[in-house]
Amino acid sequence: MYHSVGDRTEDPYHVTVTPDRLAAQFDRLRRRGLRGVSLAELLAARARGRGRGLVGLTFDDGYADFLDHALPVLRHHGFNATLFVLPGCFGGDNAWDPLGPRKPLLTVDGVRRAAAEGVEIGSHGLTHLDLTRADDLTLKSETAESGALLARLTGTPVGGFCYPYGTIDARVVAAVREAGYDYGCAIDPGPLAARHALPRVHIGQHDTAVRLLLKQRLHRLRRRPAAGV
């Protein structure tokens, strides 16, 4: 799970990695015989019993720096990823981070460019709300409507949903499933872990080769495997 790729002079939430660090992390994966792919490709491969050697890469929030800094590194390594975007915030910034700094988000054209490059586009909701606190109407808008907007924008069905802040409960997971998504990404879903609440591990600037290995091992120990995946 990545977020922003670029200048991290100010990074109070530890959501930014530099392009050089991203490249080093990808180098580490490739040296271990691993290849970064989108979540859709990973899940499809695992369904065929061919997921060995694949690592699902996700970029949350749809920062504009994805095109300038993340995508070139992905392409250099022969990797792909899933980009989770907020159709209600295109061209805006990360207003949900009160401490800043303000980071621009992708525009409509930027999302289309990423999709044209073969990046899987998924929904992160409309406006980056904690969905566990949303009323029923808002929850439907953030899930079903965001996916419909993205499908019209890219011309491709949207299979993946990513829960803002990683916060979920049974009601929210059910809403994502009922909205027609093929899978959902959480962070640490606990007993809700399943195809619509997949566990992920955050990767940051300080994750060197040793830390990456430790995180991989701790992830297996701490997070319950997702049923049916």
Side-chain angles (χ1 to χ4, degrees), residues 165-193:
Y165 306 106
T167 55
I168 62 171
D169 57 23
R171 168 176 164 266
V172 170
V173 174
V176 167
R177 187 185 303 110
E178 290 164 8
Y181 292 98
D182 180 54
Y183 69 88
C185 282
I187 299 174
D188 195 356
L192 292 174

Side-chain angles (χ1 to χ4, degrees), residues 28 32 208-218:
R28 173 65 180 171
R32 294 178 58 204
T208 58
V210 172
R211 283 174 59 96
L212 285 173
L213 183 60
L214 288 173
K215 280 192 170 183
Q216 180 187 21
R217 291 179 176 176
L218 286 172

Side-chain angles (χ1 to χ4, degrees), residues 126-148:
L126 279 175
T127 56
H128 209 282
L129 296 179
D130 178 347
L131 299 182
T132 63
R133 300 182 179 182
D135 60 39
D136 289 346
L137 185 60
T138 302
L139 180 58
K140 183 174 182 179
S141 178
E142 291 282 334
T143 55
E145 291 184 23
S146 66

Side-chain angles (χ1 to χ4, degrees), residues 39-54:
L39 261 293
E41 182 176 348
L42 175 64
L43 293 172
R46 293 189 72 170
R48 300 191 304 270
R50 297 183 176 181
R52 186 175 180 84
L54 301 181

Side-chain angles (χ1 to χ4, degrees), residues 12-226:
Y13 297 100
H14 306 290
V15 297
T16 307
V17 298
T18 62
D20 286 346
R21 177 63 76 188
L22 185 69
Q25 291 167 349
F26 287 0
D27 284 341
R28 173 65 180 171
L29 291 179
R30 198 161 59 177
R31 286 197 300 272
R32 294 178 58 204
L34 302 173
R35 179 168 62 90
V37 297
S38 69
L39 261 293
E41 182 176 348
L42 175 64
L43 293 172
R46 293 189 72 170
R48 300 191 304 270
R50 297 183 176 181
R52 186 175 180 84
L54 301 181
V55 177
L57 299 176
T58 61
F59 289 80
D60 292 7
D61 300 336
Y63 290 103
D65 57 33
F66 178 84
L67 289 176
D68 295 329
H69 300 308
L71 187 58
V73 180
L74 285 163
R75 290 295 172 259
H76 176 75
H77 289 79
F79 288 3
N80 200 4
T82 300
L83 176 64
F84 290 113
V85 301
L86 299 147
C89 300
F90 288 154
D93 60 33
N94 55 328
W96 56 87
D97 287 336
L99 297 180
R102 298 278 72 85
K103 286 177 171 284
L105 303 177
L106 288 165
T107 63
V108 168
D109 286 344
V111 174
R112 285 188 175 129
R113 282 180 56 196
E117 288 281 346
V119 174
E120 182 192 12
I121 304 298
S123 173
H124 202 23
L126 279 175
T127 56
H128 209 282
L129 296 179
D130 178 347
L131 299 182
T132 63
R133 300 182 179 182
D135 60 39
D136 289 346
L137 185 60
T138 302
L139 180 58
K140 183 174 182 179
S141 178
E142 291 282 334
T143 55
E145 291 184 23
S146 66
L149 285 170
L150 289 174
R152 289 197 294 271
L153 172 65
T154 63
T156 304
V158 176
F161 188 90
C162 177
Y163 302 95
Y165 306 106
T167 55
I168 62 171
D169 57 23
R171 168 176 164 266
V172 170
V173 174
V176 167
R177 187 185 303 110
E178 290 164 8
Y181 292 98
D182 180 54
Y183 69 88
C185 282
I187 299 174
D188 195 356
L192 292 174
R195 191 179 184 91
H196 286 87
L198 297 171
R200 296 180 298 165
V201 61
H202 169 73
I203 304 298
Q205 178 69 12
H206 300 298
D207 287 322
T208 58
V210 172
R211 283 174 59 96
L212 285 173
L213 183 60
L214 288 173
K215 280 192 170 183
Q216 180 187 21
R217 291 179 176 176
L218 286 172
H219 179 78
R220 289 174 176 171
L221 290 172
R222 290 181 57 244
R223 290 167 169 83
R224 180 177 303 191

